[in-house]
Amino acid sequence: MRIYYRPRLNLDGVWWFKLDPEDVGENKKWFEGLPSSEDIYVPSSWNEQNPSWESYMGVAWYERRFFVPAEFRKMIPWIVFEGVNYRAKVWVNGAFLGGHEGGFTSFKFNAEGSIRFGEENALVVRVDDELTPHNIPPGESMNKTYFDFFHYGGIYRPVYLEFTKTTFIDDLKVVADHRGHLDVEVEVGGEVLGELAFKLLSPDGVEMMSHREEIKDRRVHVRAKARGVKPWSPENPVLYKLRVKIHLGEDLIDWVDEHIGFRTVEVKGGKLLLNGKPVFLKGFGRHEDFPVTGKYVPGAVLIRDFNLMKSLGANSFRTTHYPYSRLHMDLADRYGFLVILEAPLVGLRDVHFKDEKYLEKAKKVIEEMVREHRNRPSVIMYSVANEPLSSTDNARGFIEELYNHVRQLDPTRPITFASMLHAKDKALGVVDVISLNLYFGWYSHHGNLDAGVKEADETLEEVHKMYPGKPILVTEFGAGAINGLHSDPPEMWSEEYQAEFLRSYIKMFKQKSFLTGFHIWCFADFKTPQSHFRTVLNRKGLFTRIREPKLAAHAIRREYSEKRSDVHPQGLKRGRL
Ligand code: GCB
């Protein structure tokens, strides 16, 4: 979690909006000001704000007017977008600032020279959410996607202006292990001058360490050992403050507090270790999805989600199927969740594995994701893809490229991807932890849970035999339930079938010592493209879309809050969350 002590101008609120189905706006110079408009709220996806925009896919324009105080005149104005789906082009007062492709990572532009101080300014953004097989994630149309979640468009994460002096902290990379080793790299932006001051503060504000040095280079690297630190863990998610300031003489030039946790993640002897001890992941696959706001989940709902997950005894989730918002990840650090951070590379197939350009684009997205979230103690693993059709050597090569890319960006965390092909997957050998999505008894053996669990059991054993040295994580298993639908005996879509499905799978998982955890698919119902096998929503949630519990939530509370030694044969102690 990072706090910048910089002047900030929040641009959340009502903006002007105009659809551009014929894509004429750029020729007609709409970037100088929209000719007509409707109201839209930012941050939030556009689709549900007006019934006629619900299934709109294509180009749309946004405009926002704002005032910049004259006293910021000597500072550099940055425009920060935390998330726009999918392509964005940005103008300020008619001047083009730049563009960005990719819906789930943030980007910013230096708006020096185009912002008017002490005056009104116009920010115009062209957003294009057209789906193509070359998008990340890929698809063809609203209801023909290679991924199973609704394709929401627009500026759906916060937008703000931030002001820095002409020397500033451009980037910060922190590695902090459970023994107190600290490795900090600061990238200085702008003019190289001044002095960098570091401090480590305990959770109650006591100074534990400090260091000052003159800035001679863009990159300042500090290694240190902090004594007596408490390790970060789900049981005790203790966050320390790494305070970085730039001084020039008497003046404070920039100031960033990074809230860090000291913890170590390793894969050793077929086990996933947290702070040197085996750890068992119990949790969920999830989505950023909420009625009306779409892909923006308001803070209050996120806090409810974390409290619900905790109350169920969960300690982990995967950011299925894209990096989540900064606020979402900040809460994961604070609530002590063990997060698998997933890249938005969902449903890749042969056309992608053969395409050099697509590989480059995938690497860029991964790099943006790693840079944005690499200092978080909650992120314990990266997932480079979900359900690639990786039964070929080409696919293995592609996953290997992604693996090596992440490895080089961050050598400290294990890497995985979620496989639906199991033993037939050629890329399992590449990664550190094997992740499997299992749906026997739902998509096959309809309504026959015994047969489904048996096949899931055999699949786990088969993959374990092929890769005996690797921990296996079940990244998805689940069944749909329409809330309020009951049946005895349990039948598909009833709350009872879902609860029984999860209980039977978990009973089988308890016999597998090579498992390092399981994530239920999924936490809450979420909107999907229309199709004959979805009822508007994907109903595999333990909670409805507005977070009301289904029967399975109660069943899982009992399963997850059992002593971990009962859940897991290796005798781990129960952690209070
Ligand atoms: C999966 C996918 C997930 C889907 C889920 C389902 O394997 O990873 O995105 O939503 O199955 O419910 O079919």
Side-chain angles (χ1 to χ4, degrees):
M1 184 168 93
R2 185 176 302 180
I3 296 178
Y4 290 96
Y5 290 89
R6 294 173 178 169
R8 187 183 271 198
L9 222 156
N10 186 354
L11 296 181
D12 295 356
V14 177
W15 291 43
W16 299 333
F17 183 67
K18 191 170 172 58
L19 299 185
D20 184 10
E22 309 299 329
D23 194 11
V24 296
E26 220 165 326
N27 277 339
K28 295 195 169 168
K29 300 198 169 169
W30 289 2
F31 47 82
E32 290 176 351
L34 298 186
S36 64
S37 66
E38 296 175 81
D39 288 346
I40 193 158
Y41 190 81
V42 171
S44 275
S45 303
W46 67 52
N47 308 69
E48 289 174 36
Q49 295 194 47
N50 181 332
S52 65
W53 305 338
E54 176 94 21
S55 51
Y56 180 76
M57 186 182 84
V59 179
W61 292 74
Y62 287 72
E63 179 169 351
R64 172 71 194 249
R65 299 284 170 97
F66 57 93
F67 176 80
V68 179
E71 63 259 36
F72 296 159
R73 181 158 285 136
K74 295 224 172 87
M75 301 188 88
I76 305 179
W78 300 87
I79 297 193
V80 183
F81 292 84
E82 290 198 358
V84 178
N85 202 23
Y86 172 77
R87 290 174 203 86
K89 281 183 158 184
V90 179
W91 291 261
V92 167
N93 299 324
F96 181 60
L97 294 189
H100 181 261
E101 176 173 352
F104 303 99
T105 43
S106 68
F107 54 96
K108 64 179 180 190
F109 300 112
N110 181 334
E112 237 176 334
S114 36
I115 289 282
R116 297 183 193 126
F117 294 90
E119 277 184 53
E120 192 190 55
N121 290 268
L123 168 64
V124 178
V125 187
R126 175 190 184 270
V127 181
D128 172 9
D129 81 334
E130 200 197 333
L131 261 176
T132 76
H134 307 288
N135 277 32
I136 294 180
E140 292 169 38
S141 64
M142 285 305 270
N143 292 327
K144 195 163 181 206
T145 56
Y146 301 3
F147 50 89
D148 178 37
F149 50 91
F150 191 79
H151 179 57
Y152 281 105
I155 307 179
Y156 74 100
R157 287 183 184 166
V159 185
Y160 43 87
L161 263 103
E162 202 165 68
F163 298 86
T164 66
K165 304 242 166 101
T166 48
T167 295
F168 53 92
I169 298 161
D170 199 22
D171 202 3
L172 190 60
K173 185 173 164 192
V174 184
V175 178
D177 75 16
H178 74 293
R179 297 209 157 82
H181 293 109
L182 191 60
D183 196 308
V184 185
E185 249 179 79
V186 182
E187 217 171 292
V188 177
E191 295 167 77
V192 176
L193 45 82
E195 215 184 12
L196 257 188
F198 298 85
K199 264 188 191 149
L200 181 70
L201 302 168
S202 75
D204 19 290
V206 177
E207 185 176 317
M208 302 181 65
M209 231 169 61
S210 73
H211 171 83
R212 267 177 108 101
E213 76 177 64
E214 205 186 318
I215 304 172
K216 294 198 199 107
D217 216 336
R218 278 230 173 276
R219 223 165 251 145
V220 182
H221 194 168
V222 176
R223 277 202 196 91
K225 167 118 203 255
R227 291 192 191 284
V229 292
K230 289 200 185 90
W232 182 98
S233 69
E235 293 78 22
N236 193 12
V238 46
L239 295 175
Y240 290 76
K241 251 184 229 168
L242 179 74
R243 177 158 289 173
V244 184
K245 290 182 177 177
I246 299 182
H247 297 275
L248 189 59
E250 294 294 294
D251 292 340
L252 175 62
I253 301 291
D254 203 5
W255 174 3
V256 175
D257 278 355
E258 188 77 300
H259 294 237
I260 60 168
F262 288 88
R263 59 110 192 87
T264 312
V265 186
E266 295 155 289
V267 172
K268 246 192 203 163
K271 305 255 177 293
L272 178 67
L273 309 180
L274 178 72
N275 302 331
K277 295 193 192 110
V279 65
F280 196 77
L281 310 181
K282 293 193 291 186
F284 299 97
R286 303 173 59 221
H287 267 293
E288 286 192 331
D289 171 272
F290 202 65
V292 184
T293 52
K295 277 252 158 295
Y296 173 67
V297 185
V301 180
L302 287 177
I303 289 187
R304 180 172 170 81
D305 286 1
F306 277 94
N307 283 317
L308 287 175
M309 287 194 288
K310 270 176 64 172
S311 78
L312 258 54
N315 64 1
S316 175
F317 65 87
R318 176 167 57 120
T319 66
T320 40
H321 295 303
Y322 36 80
Y324 289 173
S325 71
R326 290 184 182 175
L327 174 61
H328 202 151
M329 299 300 288
D330 287 350
L331 292 170
D333 287 344
R334 293 164 67 90
Y335 281 72
F337 273 76
L338 304 169
V339 177
I340 300 173
L341 181 63
E342 184 158 272
L345 293 155
V346 194
L348 301 194
R349 34 191 87 175
D350 241 27
V351 290
H352 304 109
F353 305 138
K354 291 184 195 142
D355 182 346
E356 281 287 324
K357 276 203 194 126
Y358 198 81
L359 176 63
E360 285 319 304
K361 200 147 87 166
K363 284 183 177 172
K364 183 168 173 277
V365 166
I366 284 186
E367 184 155 349
E368 288 179 0
M369 168 181 94
V370 171
R371 278 182 179 276
E372 190 157 357
H373 298 293
R374 65 186 165 191
N375 295 346
R376 299 182 180 282
S378 57
V379 175
I380 57 153
M381 205 184 306
Y382 297 110
S383 164
V384 292
N386 182 65
E387 301 195 337
L389 297 182
S390 36
S391 56
T392 60
D393 290 335
N394 263 343
R396 184 194 157 95
F398 190 94
I399 297 289
E400 204 159 15
E401 288 268 359
L402 298 184
Y403 179 95
N404 292 336
H405 188 57
V406 179
R407 199 26 86 246
Q408 172 231 325
L409 290 164
D410 181 352
T412 69
R413 290 172 171 100
I415 300 166
T416 190
F417 74 93
S419 166
M420 63 185 267
L421 299 180
H422 315 139
K424 293 194 194 76
D425 202 313
K426 284 227 171 156
L428 293 185
V430 172
V431 287
D432 307 310
V433 173
I434 290 181
S435 294
L436 304 177
N437 295 350
L438 306 173
Y439 286 99
F440 307 107
W442 183 256
Y443 290 123
S444 62
H445 308 295
H446 304 137
N448 186 346
L449 253 178
D450 289 343
V453 174
K454 183 164 174 282
E455 192 166 349
D457 186 336
E458 287 164 2
T459 302
L460 286 171
E461 290 296 337
E462 187 183 7
V463 173
H464 172 57
K465 270 200 199 90
M466 292 171 75
Y467 306 95
K470 296 194 187 212
I472 297 182
L473 178 67
V474 175
T475 27
E476 288 180 29
F477 67 109
I482 296 175
N483 51 309
L485 187 73
H486 295 283
S487 75
D488 184 16
E491 287 190 10
M492 289 177 81
W493 296 105
S494 69
E495 294 199 30
E496 286 77 8
Y497 189 84
Q498 182 188 38
E500 211 36 58
F501 181 104
L502 298 173
R503 264 199 297 256
S504 314
Y505 263 75
I506 291 173
K507 192 165 161 214
M508 179 267 287
F509 293 156
K510 288 179 189 172
Q511 315 304 319
K512 313 278 171 219
S513 61
F514 53 81
L515 271 197
T516 195
F518 50 84
H519 284 172
I520 292 168
W521 188 258
C522 73
F523 174 70
D525 292 349
F526 59 91
K527 195 166 160 76
T528 58
Q530 296 181 55
S531 91
H532 63 278
F533 75 121
R534 292 280 180 262
T535 57
V536 184
L537 304 178
N538 182 317
R539 306 273 181 172
K540 295 191 188 70
L542 251 58
F543 294 87
T544 63
R545 200 175 183 209
I546 56 166
R547 279 61 171 167
E548 298 155 327
K550 300 183 195 169
L551 199 63
H554 298 284
I556 289 306
R557 176 171 292 133
R558 282 193 291 275
E559 292 288 344
Y560 273 14
S561 56
E562 269 183 72
K563 284 203 178 114
R564 281 200 207 157
S565 51
D566 299 337
V567 174
H568 197 248
Q570 284 157 334
L572 299 177
K573 281 206 197 95
R574 178 185 179 188
R576 254 196 55 71
L577 289 165

